[in-house]
Amino acid sequence: MIEPIVTFNDVHKSFGDVKVLKGIDLDIKPAEKVAIIGPSGSGKTTIIRMLMTLEQPTSGDIIVDGKNLWKMEKKGSMVDANEKHLRNVRGDIGMVFQHFNLFPHMTILENCMTAPIHVKNEDKSTAKQRSIEMLEKVGLGDKLDNYPSQLSGGQKQRVAMARALVMRPKVMLFDEVTSALDPELVGEVLEVIRDIAKEGEMAMILVTHEMDFALDVADKVLFLDEGVIAEQGTASEVIEHSTNERLQSFLHRFRS
Amino acid sequence: MNIWSWDVFADAFLVIVQGLGITLGLTIACYLFALIFGFFWTFLRRIPFKPLHWVITWIMEFIRSTPPLVQLFFIFYAWPMVPVVGMTLDPFTSAILGLGIHFSTYIGEVYRSGIDGVDKGQWEAARALNFSTRQKWTKIILPQAIPPTIPMLGNYLIIMFKEVPLASTIGVAGILHMANSYGAQYWTYLEPLTIVAILFLVMSYPSALLINKLEKKMNRRFDKKEALNSSKGATA
Ligand SMILES: Nc1ncnc2c1ncn2[C@@H]1O[C@H](COP(=O)(O)OP(=O)(O)OP(=O)(O)O)[C@@H](O)[C@H]1O
Ligand SMILES: [Mg+2]
């Protein structure tokens, strides 16, 4: 059997007294594309943010490529991970944000080059070369020296994807990456994600409200509801053939 | 006796400008001290340990609400009498410490406002790209936090420049000190002090204008790059 690249073991998360995630169990295989759907506030973003180490789980384990993300061994017992351990494991993960979060003081090219150079100690010409190729791939080869403020939302999001991709993560996270875009710009971004997905080896977790897109790209769909995975299966099982009532009424809102 | 004499004016001027180097030197030294020490406050307050945060905030508040003159006197006259850590400092050093520390609390506050102005998403993106803590600050946060504070920092330079004459009270021979001694010697204060006022005006006013300009430029910072680049694009 193939070892999963990401595993959640009974992961809980509370913010103060509010229990947001109530026991998430999850296995994601290398190269698997997983879509997470569910109503607002169900905890989709929180799952992704814990994996990106932006939020610490209240309990449970997250395993990335065999390593416990939030815990490390110290004198024979497991303790909370320190920054060094997190940095070590985090390198396998990349993320694209809803609001792009490009670095406004850098050009598009610099946005992509900076992490390979400073984080991975790649030499400058290699990093530049790879960044240019990546930006060409997302269709922005002619914008290298522009600043983020000069781009449309769709272009910004494509830069954000290139920036994450040059780091060659094993797992890539997408948190509603089209929901801050004007409707006419959604297509170009989804197109790029489709291309990335087709290429392959990377596992992808996509939080999305685009059901057709999920059907098209995802190997597996999770329906998250009130902090638990209420339904899971292939895209067609979950989106087209489920009898779960809450899922039905959730999906109903997307059909018109 | 004449109320105003141009001969005295000319004579006093030559004496007083000799203090200009000290006044400007002290301003710059105090300012650099405050710029560096300001970082110290800002980062100390970011240590996620509540009691420390309170103590530092309280110390800053204390320094800010005490007159700089009192602090200057304390460092120059009282510090040498403090057992163990106390020591005698020359006037110039005392002035750098006194005014520098006083203004560093304001500068620290300016830095903080700059850092708070950086979007939360920038921290998260830096984390997602796996930058080290140090790189996060030097490559991502500070380059965005500092430029918008430059006009404010410039303002503090001018304010500080105007506070530097306080140092004459502990014997730093800047322009005010020179004017005072001249006045005491020849029993005429009108011309020397007028000269001091003019010198300050001549130096602060253009600086203020410059900072005003800088401020406008900063406000247009990203638009400008845009205009520049799009015009380039249009002609290409
Ligand atoms: N930092 C935080 N502090 C307090 N509560 C939070 C925090 N982050 C999220 N929450 C709460 O946790 C719950 C789940 O949030 P989450 O963002 O994961 O939902 P979501 O499924 O992504 O929703 P949406 O579709 O609206 O993005 C929400 O009720 C939210 O208010
Ligand atoms: Mg969300």
Side-chain angles (χ1 to χ4, degrees):
Chain A
M1 204 197 104
I2 317 160
E3 284 295 307
I5 184 82
V6 171
T7 302
F8 278 59
N9 277 331
D10 195 26
V11 173
H12 291 250
K13 176 68 187 176
S14 307
F15 291 106
D17 293 335
V18 185
K19 289 188 178 135
V20 173
L21 294 174
K22 305 160 188 164
I24 300 293
D25 289 294
L26 185 59
D27 273 330
I28 296 170
K29 294 196 272 299
E32 193 171 27
K33 320 296 181 222
V34 179
I36 304 179
I37 60 172
S40 179
S42 57
K44 306 180 295 293
T45 297
T46 306
I47 288 187
I48 280 195
R49 286 173 60 84
M50 288 190 304
L51 197 46
M52 193 65 262
T53 69
L54 298 172
E55 216 76 73
Q56 184 171 9
T58 311
S59 70
D61 291 310
I62 300 175
I63 316 292
V64 177
D65 202 12
K67 289 163 282 189
N68 196 321
L69 180 59
W70 280 102
K71 288 176 193 157
M72 59 182 203
E73 210 179 308
K74 196 176 171 187
K75 293 175 192 147
S77 58
M78 297 301 268
V79 298
D80 279 354
N82 59 17
E83 178 59 23
K84 189 174 165 219
H85 175 91
L86 289 174
R87 259 200 109 196
N88 224 329
V89 187
R90 195 195 284 138
D92 287 339
I93 306 165
M95 176 160 178
V96 183
F97 296 86
Q98 191 171 357
H99 297 285
F100 333 125
N101 300 349
L102 295 180
F103 303 131
H105 59 300
M106 298 181 187
T107 64
I108 302 316
L109 181 58
E110 288 163 350
N111 261 279
C112 293
M113 281 166 57
T114 178
I117 292 173
H118 296 113
V119 177
K120 292 200 148 175
N121 295 319
E122 235 171 70
D123 74 62
K124 211 176 156 186
S125 59
T126 321
K128 186 171 174 180
Q129 189 58 35
R130 295 205 307 112
S131 299
I132 293 174
E133 280 164 20
M134 201 56 84
L135 283 164
E136 279 167 353
K137 197 156 115 186
V138 300
L140 291 168
D142 58 337
K143 301 276 185 206
L144 302 178
D145 296 324
N146 285 64
Y147 283 85
S149 61
Q150 301 166 256
L151 303 185
S152 73
Q155 291 172 329
K156 283 183 198 168
Q157 198 56 298
R158 285 185 278 148
V159 174
M161 280 190 260
R163 181 177 72 174
L165 284 169
V166 284
M167 292 299 277
R168 299 191 168 122
K170 293 180 184 158
V171 185
M172 184 89 143
L173 313 173
F174 299 80
D175 187 12
E176 290 191 42
V177 295
T178 56
S179 63
L181 301 178
D182 293 336
E184 71 272 18
L185 301 177
V186 169
E188 64 186 64
V189 171
L190 294 184
E191 202 48 50
V192 172
I193 301 179
R194 270 194 193 96
D195 288 347
I196 301 169
K198 264 183 219 133
E199 267 174 39
E201 320 97 83
M202 196 172 60
M204 291 165 60
I205 305 179
L206 309 118
V207 172
T208 183
H209 288 308
E210 308 280 340
M211 295 306 149
D212 292 337
F213 173 71
L215 266 172
D216 188 15
V217 169
D219 305 311
K220 182 155 91 182
V221 174
L222 310 177
F223 173 59
L224 201 65
D225 190 27
E226 297 186 328
V228 296
I229 297 174
E231 192 81 18
Q232 61 179 309
T234 65
S236 125
E237 279 167 8
V238 174
I239 296 176
E240 295 177 330
H241 300 110
S242 167
T243 52
N244 181 315
E245 238 170 70
R246 287 189 54 98
L247 174 54
Q248 286 291 334
S249 78
F250 169 74
L251 287 172
H252 190 72
R253 272 178 279 147
F254 292 92
R255 298 200 185 106
S256 46
Chain B
M1 192 185 115
N2 273 337
I3 295 175
W4 179 269
S5 151
W6 285 107
D7 288 340
V8 172
F9 185 89
D11 187 48
F13 187 81
L14 291 178
V15 174
I16 290 169
V17 285
Q18 288 170 23
L20 203 55
I22 298 270
T23 297
L24 290 177
L26 184 58
T27 307
I28 290 168
C30 286
Y31 191 57
L32 289 180
F33 186 95
L35 285 181
I36 294 165
F37 216 64
F39 268 110
F40 170 79
W41 295 119
T42 307
F43 283 99
L44 268 186
R45 279 216 292 187
R46 295 191 64 87
I47 295 173
F49 179 60
K50 275 276 150 60
L52 183 74
H53 181 92
W54 292 327
V55 169
I56 298 296
T57 307
W58 189 83
I59 292 176
M60 285 176 79
E61 197 50 52
F62 175 77
I63 292 174
R64 252 182 296 175
S65 11
T66 321
L69 186 58
V70 175
Q71 288 163 10
L72 215 52
F73 276 15
F74 186 90
I75 287 174
F76 190 64
Y77 295 115
W79 186 245
M81 298 177 184
V82 174
V84 191
V85 287
M87 56 176 140
T88 309
L89 298 166
D90 64 84
F92 197 77
T93 312
S94 304
I96 294 178
L97 280 181
L99 295 174
I101 291 175
H102 185 82
F103 278 94
S104 70
T105 58
Y106 289 95
I107 301 271
E109 201 55 39
V110 172
Y111 291 152
R112 191 188 60 82
S113 74
I115 292 166
D116 287 353
V118 178
D119 183 61
K120 190 170 128 279
Q122 296 291 309
W123 296 85
E124 298 189 344
R127 200 144 209 241
L129 290 168
N130 215 5
F131 281 103
S132 69
T133 306
R134 192 197 151 86
Q135 291 165 338
K136 190 161 59 191
W137 282 101
T138 58
K139 309 286 176 206
I140 310 300
I141 304 303
L142 291 179
Q144 294 183 65
I146 298 298
T149 65
I150 286 173
M152 265 191 285
L153 293 176
N155 260 329
Y156 275 114
L157 176 60
I158 295 178
I159 293 172
M160 197 164 201
F161 179 54
K162 290 189 287 189
E163 296 289 323
V164 154
L166 285 176
S168 77
T169 56
I170 56 170
V172 176
I175 52 177
L176 180 61
H177 194 80
M178 296 306 246
N180 249 336
S181 345
Y182 188 94
Q185 196 177 344
Y186 300 103
W187 204 242
T188 167
Y189 284 95
L190 185 58
E191 294 89 349
L193 288 177
T194 306
I195 291 168
V196 171
I198 290 172
L199 284 176
F200 272 101
L201 179 73
V202 164
M203 287 181 288
S204 357
Y205 188 64
S207 318
L209 287 184
L210 194 77
I211 285 163
N212 229 319
K213 255 201 163 136
L214 210 63
E215 186 157 12
K216 290 207 179 105
K217 204 168 151 189
M218 281 300 156
N219 289 339
R220 290 193 313 252
R221 196 158 47 114
F222 290 123
D223 311 342
K224 200 145 197 189
K225 271 181 196 159
E226 214 160 311
L228 225 74
N229 270 305
S230 57
S231 67
K232 242 193 280 169
T235 51

